[in-house]
Amino acid sequence: ISKWLKWTTFGLALLALVGWQLNNDLLKRLLVGSNFMNPLTAVLLMLSALLVRHKQVLRQSTHLLLLVAHYTIVALAAMRLGDYFYGFQYHIDQLFYGDFFNRGTGSVNGMAPASAVLFILLSGAQLAGMYGLHKLKDIGALLVVGGCFFMMTGYAYQVPEFHSSIPLFAALQTCIIFVMLAFSVLLSRPIEGLISLAVADLEGARIGRYLMPLVVLIPFAIGYLRLMLARKTTISNELGFALVALCYALIFSVILLVTIYYLNNRDRLRREFLERINLLNKDLNEANKQQQALNEELVASNEEIQAANEEIQASNEEIQASN
């Protein structure tokens, strides 16, 4: 799965870059009306996808090359943040197709500061994985996923700040690719780090894999329905929040009841299994006692046979002396 996500991410970013080369709006953005993916963002996403490693032991030259590539990504992202917040005027986001900026057409969006932060988090996570800090790697990748889900929710809810003229947040297409790339990093070493809790072949991990999609989709759906209801009706904010709280209470109650039912069945089966084991242990103890009694009788019989053999041997010695 990690390798499939890695190459899918690389292909999607490459298609966006081809869209800039061919000036094809369909490839440059996911939906009509949404922002274009910055070409430098597409190049860095392709590079980040190529840097996802699945082997633990690397050659020294490969290790050094990966370090240089990750620090380059971090440096470019930091320069973009310096442009946005401090006005350094590096214009690093105009590295590709900068002539569109010079014309003043606005055809190329600058790399969003949120994208730069995501690049720093993702490269930092991969660097932590290279040094064996797999839990820190998973935390960094999960922060990327959380940030992308936040921005995707903002686009889905049509939050005004996400559609302003100032490109603070990453484009929708960029968020989707970042999520796929972050999951590729998470699953690159599944038996190590935090992700091992969810991929293990254990009962808790299996339940968690079923509940994880619900944890994301249920709050998203409730929030979306709340906004749709507020836009189409004139209900007050208090009533809307009361309905949201009621939905959460009902959903968590259902999940709690299902969990209790499932755990009760598991505990009942476990107790029945323990009772069977105890009965088998009792039968085994009785069989051991019988076997021990038979062994004692056999020892006594062996002693009697040994005494008879000694008497026969003594008689043979007397007969031999008489002969």
Side-chain angles (χ1 to χ4, degrees), residues 27-70:
L27 297 177
K28 290 187 291 186
R29 60 186 173 188
L30 187 63
L31 296 174
V32 177
S34 62
N35 293 330
F36 295 133
M37 180 189 293
N38 181 269
L40 178 61
T41 302
V43 173
L44 294 184
L45 284 171
M46 293 167 58
L47 180 59
S48 298
L50 293 176
L51 296 179
V52 178
R53 307 300 301 175
H54 301 87
K55 295 181 180 179
Q56 183 177 6
V57 181
L58 299 174
R59 292 182 298 179
Q60 186 175 2
S61 58
T62 305
H63 185 81
L64 181 61
L65 184 62
L66 292 176
L67 287 178
V68 172
H70 282 302

Side-chain angles (χ1 to χ4, degrees), residues 2 39 212 248 295:
S2 176
M212 279 181 185
Y248 278 119
N295 289 333

Side-chain angles (χ1 to χ4, degrees), residues 63-236:
H63 185 81
L64 181 61
L65 184 62
L66 292 176
L67 287 178
V68 172
H70 282 302
Y71 283 121
T72 301
I73 294 174
V74 172
L76 293 176
M79 292 172 69
R80 173 56 186 144
L81 292 177
D83 277 350
Y84 187 84
F85 291 105
Y86 300 104
F88 287 154
Q89 302 299 321
Y90 291 126
H91 298 296
I92 193 65
D93 53 345
Q94 302 179 26
L95 185 61
F96 299 97
Y97 303 100
D99 52 340
F100 285 91
F101 283 99
N102 296 331
R103 296 174 195 166
T105 60
S107 298
V108 176
N109 298 321
M111 180 193 290
S115 298
V117 174
L118 293 177
F119 276 122
I120 292 175
L121 288 174
L122 192 62
S123 292
Q126 290 179 282
L127 286 171
M130 291 176 60
Y131 289 104
L133 303 174
H134 298 289
K135 291 184 178 179
L136 188 61
K137 178 201 73 173
D138 291 349
I139 291 174
L142 289 174
L143 288 176
V144 172
V145 174
C148 290
F149 277 142
F150 168 74
M151 289 182 280
M152 292 165 65
T153 304
Y155 285 117
Y157 290 173
Q158 298 180 2
V159 178
E161 288 79 4
F162 285 82
H163 299 278
S164 63
S165 58
I166 302 175
L168 178 62
F169 300 102
L172 180 60
Q173 186 177 4
T174 304
C175 293
I176 294 175
I177 295 177
F178 262 116
V179 169
M180 297 175 66
L181 187 57
F183 274 109
S184 178
V185 173
L186 281 172
L187 299 176
S188 60
R189 302 293 298 278
I191 61 175
E192 298 173 348
L194 299 177
I195 197 65
S196 61
L197 299 175
V199 301
D201 189 17
L202 298 174
E203 196 66 32
R206 285 193 288 270
I207 296 176
R209 287 195 291 270
Y210 287 117
L211 293 179
M212 279 181 185
L214 299 178
V215 171
V216 178
L217 294 177
I218 289 177
F220 177 84
I222 292 176
Y224 187 78
L225 292 175
R226 166 70 180 90
L227 288 177
M228 293 295 294
L229 188 63
R231 289 168 184 169
K232 294 184 178 182
T233 60
T234 57
I235 65 172
S236 62

Side-chain angles (χ1 to χ4, degrees), residues 2-14:
S2 176
K3 292 179 180 179
W4 181 85
L5 290 173
K6 167 183 175 179
W7 292 112
T8 303
T9 299
F10 181 87
L12 292 175
L14 180 61

Side-chain angles (χ1 to χ4, degrees), residues 296-317:
E296 291 177 355
E297 293 178 0
L298 183 61
V299 169
S301 300
N302 288 332
E303 290 178 353
E304 293 177 358
I305 292 173
Q306 185 176 2
N309 289 332
E310 289 177 355
E311 292 178 358
I312 292 173
Q313 184 176 2
S315 300
N316 289 333
E317 288 177 357

Side-chain angles (χ1 to χ4, degrees), residues 214-281:
L214 299 178
V215 171
V216 178
L217 294 177
I218 289 177
F220 177 84
I222 292 176
Y224 187 78
L225 292 175
R226 166 70 180 90
L227 288 177
M228 293 295 294
L229 188 63
R231 289 168 184 169
K232 294 184 178 182
T233 60
T234 57
I235 65 172
S236 62
N237 291 330
E238 290 78 6
L239 179 59
F241 286 121
L243 292 175
V244 170
L246 178 62
C247 290
Y248 278 119
L250 291 176
I251 291 171
F252 283 122
S253 298
V254 171
I255 294 176
L256 179 63
L257 291 175
V258 171
T259 304
I260 290 174
Y261 175 77
Y262 183 79
L263 292 178
N264 285 342
N265 284 338
R266 296 288 301 175
D267 189 61
R268 190 179 298 108
L269 292 174
R270 183 182 63 83
R271 291 184 180 182
E272 291 178 358
F273 185 70
L274 289 176
E275 289 178 359
R276 293 178 182 177
I277 291 177
N278 291 331
L279 290 176
L280 291 175
N281 286 331

